[in-house]
Amino acid sequence: AETKLKLKSKEDQIFEVEVGTALQSQLIKSVVEDSGTEEEIPLPNVRGPILEKVIEYLCHYKDSPALEIEKPLKADAIDEALPPWDAEFIKLRPEIVLELLSASNYLDIKPLIDLCGAKIASMIDGKTPDEIRSIFGLENDLTPEEQEKFQQEVKCLEIEDPVV
């Protein structure tokens, strides 16, 4: 049986993962190269449920790498632009996709970063800033003055009579 690594989540939850599977993360690969496989690897930036999703993704792609996602997305529906397993895997609440993106960035797993990025792009495509804030539960942290200044700058960029 392959050697297992112990990954420790933010809440000190331990996840055992085969070394070959975990090495898809460049961060984990660096830690293993420096310290070996005996010690548990603390991942203080990743909550347990998110680490579980990351491991599910890594296990799925341990034997054959994820296909590159075409950019820009060709299909209007993200499900059509992705392999079926990826499309099903990324059907998550917006705030979970953001947290998964953050974790995959921290762990340096490029295909998962790309998958999360594609999902987020599909969620915000054609939306106003207020709609995007609503989707992700974000507060508008601009003061009324900053908001007004921003509106003026955007107006300057709009072309009244486009020349064809």
Side-chain angles (χ1 to χ4, degrees):
E2 191 177 346
T3 309
K4 297 214 174 202
L5 279 179
K6 290 185 168 102
L7 306 180
K8 186 161 108 176
S9 73
K10 182 179 190 169
E11 310 84 353
D12 296 333
Q13 201 176 352
I14 300 292
F15 294 85
E16 289 198 1
V17 186
E18 289 181 353
V19 172
T21 300
L23 292 182
Q24 294 173 79
S25 158
Q26 296 307 305
L27 173 80
I28 292 172
K29 188 176 186 178
S30 296
V31 171
V32 167
E33 285 169 359
D34 292 344
S35 310
T37 58
E38 300 304 308
E39 302 286 314
E40 60 189 34
I41 299 173
L43 302 171
N45 297 354
V46 186
R47 291 187 318 111
I50 299 298
L51 185 53
E52 205 168 337
K53 283 300 282 181
V54 168
I55 292 168
E56 178 187 348
Y57 181 87
L58 295 178
C59 286
H60 181 77
Y61 284 112
K62 75 175 190 201
D63 295 323
S64 60
L67 297 173
E68 198 160 319
I69 298 169
E70 274 191 56
K71 296 174 214 80
L73 290 174
K74 296 251 185 287
D76 287 341
I78 189 169
D79 293 356
E80 296 165 27
L82 298 174
W85 190 89
D86 287 9
E88 198 54 43
F89 173 83
I90 203 68
K91 282 184 181 168
L92 302 166
R93 295 192 325 269
E95 63 276 13
I96 300 299
V97 177
L98 280 181
E99 201 174 348
L100 189 59
L101 173 63
S102 178
S104 55
N105 187 46
Y106 170 68
L107 293 166
D108 196 357
I109 306 166
K110 187 177 182 325
L112 186 51
I113 293 169
D114 290 347
L115 177 59
C116 293
K119 178 67 174 186
I120 290 167
S122 75
M123 292 169 147
I124 66 174
D125 188 37
K127 304 280 191 296
T128 67
D130 285 336
E131 289 170 327
I132 294 168
R133 279 193 281 275
S134 173
I135 290 168
F136 294 106
L138 304 171
E139 288 182 33
N140 183 355
D141 56 357
L142 296 177
T143 65
E145 294 79 27
E146 290 170 325
Q147 189 114 13
E148 179 62 32
K149 183 177 180 232
F150 177 74
Q151 294 296 339
Q152 294 304 318
E153 288 172 1
V154 170
K155 265 196 186 115
C156 291
L157 297 175
E158 290 175 6
I159 300 171
E160 306 256 335
D161 276 329
V163 179
V164 180

